[in-house]
Amino acid sequence: MSIISDSLKRIKPSPTIAVTQKARELRAAGKDVIGLGAGEPDFDTPENIKEAAIQAIKEGDTKYTAVDGTPALKKAIVEKFKRENNLDFTSDQITVGTGGKQVLYNAFMATLNKGDEVIIPAPYWVSYPDMVLLAGGKPKIVKCDEKEGFKLTAKKLQKAISKKTKWLILNSPSNPTGAGYTKNEIEDLAKVLLKNKKIYILSDDIYEHIKYDNFNFFTIAQISKLKDRTLTMNGVSKSYAMTGWRIGYAAGPKDIIKAIGKIQSQSTSNPSSVSQAAAVEALNGVQDFIHERSNAFKERRDFVVKSLNNIKGITCLTPNGAFYVFPSCKGFLNKKTKLKTDTDFVQKLLEKSNVAVVQGSAFGLEGYFRISYATSMKNLQKAMERIKSFCESLS
Ligand code: PLP
């Protein structure tokens, strides 16, 4: 009999972390691997944020804090929602966790009963289905087509709803496609959700600030009638280049927020006191950094999209945000290339050309791969040349 629990057997390790680890190992073995698998900005945390953390350490801000966030950080989060999203919350509607990941995990653990369904539009962030499974729920995957910009439509949403549906997850701009929902698109989904009064919405807004071409970010809780049924999750990891600091947060109905706090009180307790002090500065301090970095990402996005579309057999949509593209490799999956799946494609690409990307099937949509362009232009130029030569060698 195995010591490992049945619930753990339902899930798999994160495939994106696995690719990053594989690239690291190959590099350690002397191979010149370019890793385009990681989901984190290559920029460093801004100086003012680092300084705030150093100051916090010096002032003895090194003890346990309130389990679900310090009053100072909750206040900064309440102000952020008002300033940036025109949303009114009180501090008892806010929870802070060790990264957005922990907040989402706690939310599912706090709300799902066996068999409850969670609608997850695919392609999705790899952790959603596994978190749902771990919490005893049932992921209901809804595939979203490239021709619809990889976005969920009202029609598909309506079709996916059952008596057991508890949550819908929305992620805009999206990991892995970078697709952002427009106000109209969100309003269309909201119409369906207003009719189905038992469904809660989990809005993952972690890429809110990484957006291009005047894309107007809009979060579903701004539609006031749905605010009471929405948990809006966000964090400092991506916007402020603070992935290692591990601070994420959410705002929503008091009963859910309280339940999330209860789980946290019996697992990790508070997120790091020093990281919370740094997050206060991130949210309250100058925001110039966000725009500067978005401009740098835009330059990379434009280069990558153009380079990929210049490769015969590859097509790639232009995303509105985040730092990912999700090109199709279907043109290479045939008898001639002997590649059957996107996993075959990315494995061959790594073996032959030393470029690490992640297969689309890891995100719930076969026939694609994800590139993270959160790396230097120099790396991207080299990677695009290698991908081009690799694809030409297949044709
Ligand atoms: N949501 C999405 C869509 C993500 O891509 C990530 C990180 O990759 C997270 C949430 C979690 O971010 P963190 O735990 O670093 O706050």
Side-chain angles (χ1 to χ4, degrees):
M1 214 175 65
S2 166
I3 183 74
I4 307 302
S5 73
D6 290 343
S7 60
L8 205 70
K9 286 180 201 145
R10 292 197 287 266
I11 67 160
K12 58 185 181 318
S14 161
T16 46
I17 292 177
V19 167
T20 313
Q21 181 58 25
K22 174 97 185 153
R24 228 177 260 141
E25 281 166 18
L26 287 170
R27 232 176 271 129
K31 284 208 170 184
D32 169 30
V33 172
I34 306 174
L36 304 179
E40 65 179 342
D42 54 322
F43 304 122
D44 199 2
T45 305
E47 280 307 312
N48 62 315
I49 298 174
K50 288 186 188 173
E51 278 305 323
I54 292 165
Q55 201 55 32
I57 293 171
K58 285 188 177 156
E59 284 171 8
D61 207 349
T62 52
K63 304 279 194 283
Y64 290 133
T65 74
V67 165
D68 62 352
T70 60
L73 182 51
K74 286 190 175 189
K75 182 167 178 281
I77 293 166
V78 165
E79 286 166 5
K80 176 261 179 258
F81 277 117
K82 183 68 193 163
R83 181 176 70 237
E84 297 183 346
N85 312 106
N86 198 25
L87 281 169
D88 288 304
F89 289 111
T90 46
S91 61
D92 53 357
Q93 291 179 290
I94 306 286
T95 189
V96 184
T98 301
K101 207 170 204 173
Q102 191 194 18
V103 174
L104 291 171
Y105 177 79
N106 287 349
F108 292 131
M109 292 304 268
T111 58
L112 291 179
N113 291 314
K114 196 164 180 284
D116 283 345
E117 291 178 1
V118 178
I119 298 178
I120 306 177
Y124 48 69
W125 179 45
V126 290
S127 294
Y128 298 141
D130 290 286
M131 283 184 184
V132 169
L133 286 168
L134 207 47
K138 223 171 126 187
K140 178 111 181 200
I141 308 297
V142 182
K143 291 193 179 183
C144 303
D145 296 336
E146 184 179 356
K147 62 178 188 300
E148 285 158 349
F150 300 116
K151 288 184 264 191
L152 182 67
T153 59
K155 205 168 151 194
K156 282 192 176 166
L157 170 60
Q158 183 61 62
K159 210 168 148 223
I161 292 171
S162 80
K163 282 199 185 110
K164 296 206 162 156
T165 308
K166 197 144 200 185
W167 287 99
L168 161 69
I169 303 180
L170 284 178
N171 173 218
S172 169
S174 140
N175 177 3
T177 66
Y181 285 75
T182 64
K183 186 165 188 271
N184 278 347
E185 286 165 344
I186 293 181
E187 279 170 350
D188 280 350
L189 297 176
K191 275 182 207 150
V192 176
L193 295 161
L194 285 167
K195 274 192 284 175
N196 292 274
K197 299 194 190 318
K198 284 193 182 152
I199 302 175
Y200 278 73
I201 304 109
L202 213 160
S203 186
D204 179 343
D205 297 355
I206 198 112
Y207 294 99
E208 171 179 10
H209 288 122
I210 304 172
K211 59 192 183 77
Y212 317 109
D213 310 328
N214 300 320
F215 172 73
N216 223 341
F217 174 83
F218 190 78
T219 190
I220 198 158
Q222 286 172 276
I223 295 170
S224 56
K225 283 188 185 142
L226 282 170
K227 188 177 161 222
D228 293 347
R229 288 197 265 143
T230 302
L231 187 69
T232 306
M233 190 230 97
N234 211 320
V236 294
S237 288
K238 318 283 178 173
S239 301
Y240 300 95
M242 292 177 69
T243 44
W245 299 76
R246 311 306 303 128
I247 296 292
Y249 55 86
K254 283 183 199 169
D255 53 346
I256 300 181
I257 295 295
K258 207 169 150 199
I260 288 176
K262 193 170 170 185
I263 290 186
Q264 201 154 288
S265 76
Q266 295 294 19
S267 51
T268 56
S269 287
N270 62 278
S272 146
S273 58
V274 176
S275 295
Q276 289 189 75
V280 170
E281 174 61 19
L283 295 176
N284 288 348
V286 281
Q287 304 290 304
D288 304 359
F289 169 84
I290 288 177
H291 306 291
E292 284 161 25
R293 301 292 153 98
S294 264
N295 289 341
F297 277 135
K298 182 186 174 333
E299 193 192 339
R300 299 170 185 186
R301 179 205 64 166
D302 290 344
F303 169 72
V304 168
V305 170
K306 194 168 167 216
S307 306
L308 289 169
N309 280 317
N310 276 337
I311 301 173
K312 200 166 159 243
I314 294 217
T315 54
C316 181
L317 295 184
T318 305
N320 309 101
F323 36 70
Y324 309 105
V325 287
F326 200 67
S328 166
C329 59
K330 288 179 190 166
F332 298 104
L333 308 182
N334 53 49
K335 278 195 184 134
K336 193 174 151 224
T337 62
K338 297 201 182 93
L339 303 175
K340 285 197 188 118
T341 63
D342 49 17
T343 306
D344 295 343
F345 179 87
V346 304
Q347 277 176 356
K348 255 285 176 303
L349 178 66
L350 183 57
E351 263 169 43
K352 288 229 161 165
S353 304
N354 288 328
V355 178
V357 298
V358 188
Q359 65 277 17
S361 46
F363 307 95
L365 202 69
E366 303 78 16
Y368 297 85
F369 60 103
R370 188 193 78 172
I371 287 179
S372 162
Y373 52 86
T375 184
S376 69
M377 266 307 248
K378 200 167 141 225
N379 264 348
L380 290 172
Q381 276 159 355
K382 236 182 349 175
M384 290 304 124
E385 275 165 30
R386 288 187 191 180
I387 294 175
K388 189 165 195 269
S389 310
F390 172 72
C391 290
E392 282 170 0
S393 76
L394 293 174
S395 305

